Amino acid sequence: SGLKIEKKCSFPDHYPYDRLDLLSLEKEGLRVGVDYLATTAKDGLKIPSNLQLKLPVLIFEIKVEMISGEKTLWQKIEQILRR
C-alpha cells in the first residue's frame, strides 16, 4: 500500500505561509479524513517549529537529475551570463 493523495492545495512559489494557512490546511485535511499533511522540504522550513498540529506533516526531499540535455543547458546559462 502507498500514499493516496486526497486533496491537493497549491500556493504560489515563495509563498509566506502563516499560522492561519497551516491551521486551515489541517482543518481541511481533518474534514476529508487524511492521516497526514505533506509538503516539500523547501516549504517545510516555513512551518513554525512551535506550531502544534493534530495531523503529522510528511516532508519530502525532491531530487532533480538531468537525464539528457545537460550540455545544452549549461551552454544556454553561459550565454545568458555573458550578456
Side-chain angles (χ1 to χ4, degrees):
S1 129
L3 292 175
K4 178 181 173 193
I5 297 173
E6 290 290 334
K7 184 155 187 164
K8 178 184 170 195
C9 299
S10 297
F11 292 86
D13 201 20
H14 303 291
Y15 182 80
Y17 302 99
D18 64 23
R19 185 176 182 278
L20 292 177
D21 292 322
L22 295 162
L23 292 173
S24 176
L25 290 170
E26 179 182 57
K27 181 178 179 182
E28 180 62 13
L30 290 168
R31 185 187 74 75
V32 298
V34 302
D35 297 318
Y36 305 94
L37 297 177
T39 190
T40 62
K42 179 182 121 185
D43 288 328
L45 293 172
K46 300 174 189 174
I47 298 173
S49 59
N50 63 348
L51 181 63
Q52 295 198 356
L53 298 171
K54 295 176 185 134
L55 290 173
V57 179
L58 299 178
I59 298 177
F60 293 94
E61 278 287 335
I62 297 176
K63 178 182 175 187
V64 176
E65 180 181 347
M66 291 204 58
I67 320 174
S68 66
E70 184 174 359
K71 183 178 178 182
T72 303
L73 173 65
W74 284 113
Q75 289 171 342
K76 296 288 183 187
I77 291 171
E78 287 173 5
Q79 287 174 357
I80 292 168
L81 293 175
R82 281 190 228 130
R83 293 182 188 169

